[in-house]
């Protein structure tokens, strides 16, 4: 009986020092991506689908994956911003992969912002939120010629990028 009591006491002390596993819930908000919606330049209230859009970060060779593909043909995309630094540059290539090179057009956009780290939880750690620079939120250039930009106008809708539930940038083409 004494051995059973000591064995139970041993297990009680052993398991009392354990703590529950902290696992970050998949539904916990993490660092948000920049949400960009595309609109018709001639009819600004109408969403417009891009054709075979490829988005490549500066210094990268592969594009961002959209549902397993490096191109997308939707009217809204979400792209990550760098959490280290104050700017991120992407090339946006319309009609990527088209054999007719005259139809392929690339514009380059550099997003300028500040970052702030917020503590989420012990399991999830920190997330970064972004605030687009109010005086110079982006720089838009064309890879080939300034008068051939496929992106006609860019509008900042939300300067504070805290979640992915709203459009932050509208691109008109």
């Amino acid at each position: 009986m004494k051995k059973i009591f000591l064995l139970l006491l041993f297990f009680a002390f052993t398991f009392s020092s354990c703590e529950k596993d902290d696992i970050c819930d998949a539904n916990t908000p993490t660092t948000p991506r920049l949400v960009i919606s595309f609109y018709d330049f001639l009819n600004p209230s109408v969403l417009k689908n891009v054709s075979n859009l490829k988005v490549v970060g500066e210094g990268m060779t592969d594009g961002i994956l959209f549902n397993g593909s490096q191109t997308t043909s939707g009217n809204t995309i979400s792209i990550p911003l760098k959490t280290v630094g104050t700017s991120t540059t992407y090339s946006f290539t319309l009609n990527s992969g088209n054999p007719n090179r005259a139809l392929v057009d690339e514009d380059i956009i550099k997003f300028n912002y500040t970052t702030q780290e917020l503590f989420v939880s012990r399991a999830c750690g920190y997330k970064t939120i972004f605030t687009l620079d109010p005086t110079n939120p982006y720089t838009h250039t064309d890879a080939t010629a300034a008068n051939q930009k496929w992106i006609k106008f860019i509008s900042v809708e939300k300067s504070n990028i805290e979640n992915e539930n709203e459009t932050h940038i509208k691109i008109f083409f």
Side-chain angles (χ1 to χ4, degrees), residues 55-73:
V55 182
V56 180
E58 182 180 46
M60 305 297 289
T61 55
D62 294 330
I64 294 175
L65 291 179
F66 301 103
N67 297 323
S69 174
Q70 288 191 24
T71 60
T72 186
S73 293

Side-chain angles (χ1 to χ4, degrees), residues 52 95-104:
N52 295 319
N95 297 320
S96 177
N98 193 317
N100 183 353
R101 297 296 300 158
L103 296 177
V104 177

Side-chain angles (χ1 to χ4, degrees), residues 80-114:
L81 296 175
K82 293 179 183 177
T83 58
V84 177
T86 58
S87 68
T88 302
T89 302
Y90 283 106
S91 70
F92 291 77
T93 306
L94 187 66
N95 297 320
S96 177
N98 193 317
N100 183 353
R101 297 296 300 158
L103 296 177
V104 177
D105 198 352
E106 178 184 24
D107 281 19
I108 299 170
I109 302 176
K110 177 182 177 183
F111 298 100
N112 303 304
Y113 51 83
T114 58

Side-chain angles (χ1 to χ4, degrees), residues 8-154:
L8 287 174
L9 191 62
F10 171 74
F11 280 117
F13 282 119
T14 302
F15 290 117
S16 68
S17 66
C18 294
E19 58 185 73
K20 70 175 194 142
D21 288 337
D22 279 337
I23 298 174
C24 186
D25 183 17
N27 296 325
T28 303
T30 57
T31 298
R33 295 174 291 175
L34 179 68
V35 179
I36 300 172
S37 294
F38 297 94
Y39 286 83
D40 189 345
F41 181 70
L42 299 176
N43 192 355
S45 62
V46 176
L47 281 166
K48 185 176 178 182
N49 286 344
V50 290
S51 299
N52 295 319
L53 177 68
K54 183 175 184 179
V55 182
V56 180
E58 182 180 46
M60 305 297 289
T61 55
D62 294 330
I64 294 175
L65 291 179
F66 301 103
N67 297 323
S69 174
Q70 288 191 24
T71 60
T72 186
S73 293
N75 57 28
T76 301
I77 61 170
S78 299
I79 58 175
L81 296 175
K82 293 179 183 177
T83 58
V84 177
T86 58
S87 68
T88 302
T89 302
Y90 283 106
S91 70
F92 291 77
T93 306
L94 187 66
N95 297 320
S96 177
N98 193 317
N100 183 353
R101 297 296 300 158
L103 296 177
V104 177
D105 198 352
E106 178 184 24
D107 281 19
I108 299 170
I109 302 176
K110 177 182 177 183
F111 298 100
N112 303 304
Y113 51 83
T114 58
T115 61
Q116 179 185 0
E117 286 190 349
L118 294 177
F119 181 74
V120 176
S121 68
R122 190 172 69 172
C124 300
Y126 289 86
K127 76 174 189 175
T128 303
I129 60 171
F130 306 93
T131 302
L132 293 173
D133 185 334
T135 58
N136 184 24
Y138 62 87
T139 305
H140 176 211
T141 57
D142 189 284
T144 55
N147 61 351
Q148 295 179 353
K149 294 180 183 178
W150 71 270
I151 297 174
K152 305 293 185 206
F153 181 71
I154 300 172

